[in-house]
Amino acid sequence: MRNKIIVGNWKMNNSSSESLELVKKINDLVVWKSDVEVVVCPPSVYIATTVKEIKGIKGCQIKVGAQNGHFESKGAFTGEISCAMLIDVGVEYVVVGHSERRQYFGETDEVVNKRALCAIKSGLTPIVCVGETLAERENSITEEIIRKQVKLILNGISENEIEKVIIAYEPIWAIGTGKTATNEQANEVCKSIRNLVYELYGEKVSEAIRIQYGGSMNGENARELLSQSEIDGGLVGGASLKAEEFSKIVNSAHNDNN
Ligand code: PEP
């Protein structure tokens, strides 16, 4: 059975003190069990302090991710942060190809592929995001679009490396909009991603790889979404900023709850 993973993407939110307060509250509210991994992705300037704070909270099992990581190890890339730097400050995961990076910073599948490859080689677990626009869904080309994105992003990732990858299916029309994909829609696309992984890497890998859903997940809808057979966790934006909501999502991910 695949362990679930709930990732909170804080985006460009929270001050230093708010970040620390949030992890403390999450730790108080979450029921820690080994079947669910919990990750928070603070803004880059607060990553190091968040790692330190978590280490100081007794029994806290929150892991830290980054919202982005560059594909070069060092050099003249103003404003970027390398995967090696992320590892250096205790980061374990990195989100790559979030739709906001694609929309506002022009990231293509090819760039996302380079970031994912570098993350793996550096020892980070990449959480690679894919998703269709509303127009693409309405034109019934969701599966085609997702297959194309996944194929391009996984290009060059070997069979040994692929198990380290997490894929997040995030329909763009559901991100930050309050509109959630139905359980069936989300499960269907996650299933088609798993089928593609099967075609590319075989059964063992396709059964092991974790595929998350993201898009307006909250304390109310999480249980149903997370009980779908192909959904192995959630990538959570807005609701990850509220300790009660986020903890509710984590607690509903436990095996005995779905
Ligand atoms: C996200 O940004 O990845 C996301 C899923 O956001 P929200 O939960 O706010 O829709």
Side-chain angles (χ1 to χ4, degrees), residues 30-50:
V30 158
V31 178
W32 293 113
K33 292 188 200 169
S34 59
D35 61 347
V36 179
E37 262 173 88
V38 180
V39 180
V40 297
C41 303
S44 54
V45 287
Y46 301 134
I47 286 176
T49 47
T50 308

Side-chain angles (χ1 to χ4, degrees), residues 9 11 98 100 170 174-176 214-217 235-238:
N9 174 12
K11 309 191 185 186
H98 192 279
E100 287 153 14
E170 297 211 302
I175 296 179
S216 299
M217 188 181 270
L235 181 51
V236 186

Side-chain angles (χ1 to χ4, degrees), residues 19-38:
S19 301
L20 303 184
E21 195 55 32
L22 187 51
V23 289
K24 276 188 199 152
K25 276 198 189 158
I26 293 170
N27 181 58
D28 286 344
L29 295 168
V30 158
V31 178
W32 293 113
K33 292 188 200 169
S34 59
D35 61 347
V36 179
E37 262 173 88
V38 180

